[in-house]
């Protein structure tokens, strides 16, 4: 559940690296469409991904299904000003062929003051262009600064790198976000493929009778207030990822990890 009480899936679809090559567009669209059909209705994208191409893939895959989706997009730091954020959001909405974003994130911190970006987000929220907003790649100090600013407490999400091989956020950032009811969205949940080649994880997954990707995703799904957004353009991998939601890791497997 988000701070405003909205319940969202803890398991969604990422689109990083999509929309970069028109030759892959059909496969990417089919993968996202299948994910939606399998109930992975939270979709994360950004104006940066494929220079807007990923948003167009999402639009193609989600035609006629908008109302059951939770769509997240992100604004470049250099587009996060009082006027530029409003304009950038408009462009994202046009590419996505929708009238609103369920959540709009600042992709990472840049030179534009946080207060100015928050002001733009609040304006977009009042105008109905976005339902809520959040941030991405914010560390503990960034979140503290945000929460101390006017309307900063309205932040709903912090999207960060988090997976079984990258657990630094567990020390202070994850507890802070939990305390302040900020949902954590974990990108690159299988380490952009690096975890799939990890010998130790391969042994643990084999003993559990599941794939390494399922092991990594199931481990994340156990975490409270964490949303996982694996990305794949492979139909078989979409099915494999979806099956993770019915996997219960045993205490022995968790201990081995």
């Amino acid at each position: 559940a988000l701070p405003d009480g909205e319940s969202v899936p803890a398991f969604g679809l990422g689109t990083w690296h999509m929309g970069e090559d028109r030759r892959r567009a059909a496969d990417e669209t089919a993968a996202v469409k299948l994910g939606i059909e399998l109930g992975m209705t939270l979709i994360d994208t950004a104006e940066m991904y494929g220079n807007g191409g990923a948003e167009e893939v999402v639009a193609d895959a989600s035609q006629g299904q908008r109302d059951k989706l939770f769509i997240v997009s992100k604004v470049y730091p250099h587009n996060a000003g009082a006027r530029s954020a409003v304009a950038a959001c408009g462009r994202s909405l046009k590419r996505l062929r929708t009238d609103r974003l369920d959540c709009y994130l600042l992709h990472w911190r840049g030179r534009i003051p946080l207060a100015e970006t928050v002001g733009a987000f609040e304006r977009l929220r009042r105008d109905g262009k976005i339902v809520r907003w959040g941030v991405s790649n914010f560390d503990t100090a960034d979140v503290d600064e945000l929460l101390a600013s006017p309307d900063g407490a309205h932040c709903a999400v912090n999207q960060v790198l988090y997976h079984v091989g990258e657990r630094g956020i567990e020390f202070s950032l994850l507890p802070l976000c939990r305390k302040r009811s900020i949902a954590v969205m974990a990108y690159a949940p299988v380490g952009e493929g690096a975890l799939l080649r990890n010998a130790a994880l391969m042994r643990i997954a084999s003993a559990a009778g599941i794939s390494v990707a399922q092991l990594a995703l199931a481990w994340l799904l156990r975490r409270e207030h964490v949303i996982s957004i694996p990305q794949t353009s492979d139909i078989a991998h979409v099915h494999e990822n979806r099956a993770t939601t019915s996997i219960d890791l045993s205490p022995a497997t968790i201990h081995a990890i």
Side-chain angles (χ1 to χ4, degrees), residues 10-11 160-167 169-170 174 178 184-191 195 213-230 244 249 257:
F11 198 61
V160 292
L161 177 65
Y162 183 38
H163 54 68
V164 69
E166 186 69 58
R167 301 175 62 176
I169 71 164
E170 293 176 0
L174 187 57
R178 281 179 177 158
V184 169
M185 197 174 286
Y187 71 78
V190 294
L195 294 182
Q214 288 175 327
L215 180 75
L217 293 171
W219 180 85
L220 268 179
L221 280 170
R222 295 173 51 254
R223 321 298 288 182
E224 284 185 43
H225 294 289
V226 174
I227 299 164
S228 181
I229 47 169
T244 303
L249 297 181
I257 293 171

Side-chain angles (χ1 to χ4, degrees), residues 1-204:
L2 296 177
D4 55 11
E6 173 82 7
S7 288
V8 300
F11 198 61
L13 299 167
T15 62
W16 192 11
H17 302 306
M18 286 188 179
E20 296 174 355
D21 185 341
R22 290 190 180 279
R23 291 170 296 182
R24 296 202 303 263
D27 288 343
E28 292 168 350
T29 301
V32 174
K33 195 171 184 179
L34 174 62
I36 294 169
E37 289 169 4
L38 294 176
M40 297 153 77
T41 52
L42 183 149
I43 306 176
D44 175 79
T45 189
E47 66 173 346
M48 186 187 86
Y49 300 165
N51 202 20
E55 291 177 323
E56 293 172 347
V57 167
V58 172
D60 289 340
S62 62
Q63 285 306 290
Q65 307 186 81
R66 176 65 184 94
D67 288 345
K68 73 178 188 181
L69 301 180
F70 188 97
I71 297 179
V72 181
S73 194
K74 309 181 205 68
V75 62
Y76 270 121
H78 60 262
N79 284 340
R83 292 184 180 178
S84 56
V86 173
C89 183
R91 293 191 296 271
S92 285
L93 292 174
K94 189 174 181 180
R95 286 188 293 265
L96 284 159
R97 303 201 288 278
T98 185
D99 61 346
R100 84 275 183 199
L101 292 172
D102 295 286
C103 197
Y104 197 32
L105 310 182
L106 172 62
H107 209 146
W108 64 89
R109 285 199 73 170
R111 294 180 180 178
I112 293 171
L114 275 181
E116 184 177 340
T117 300
V118 170
F121 284 172
E122 285 294 308
R123 177 183 164 190
L124 286 164
R125 195 164 68 93
R126 286 192 297 271
D127 291 346
K129 303 293 186 184
I130 66 175
V131 181
R132 58 190 65 76
W133 60 266
V135 294
S136 181
N137 297 300
F138 269 43
D139 63 20
T140 306
D142 295 323
V143 173
D144 281 334
E145 185 182 336
L146 176 66
L147 292 172
S149 68
D151 293 320
H154 291 165
C155 177
V157 171
N158 184 15
Q159 184 179 129
V160 292
L161 177 65
Y162 183 38
H163 54 68
V164 69
E166 186 69 58
R167 301 175 62 176
I169 71 164
E170 293 176 0
F171 293 104
S172 58
L173 182 61
L174 187 57
L176 172 62
C177 289
R178 281 179 177 158
K179 182 180 178 183
R180 299 305 295 263
S181 298
I182 298 171
V184 169
M185 197 174 286
Y187 71 78
V190 294
E192 291 193 78
L195 294 182
L196 307 182
R197 300 182 292 274
N198 182 287
L201 292 179
M202 288 167 72
R203 285 194 298 273
I204 296 167

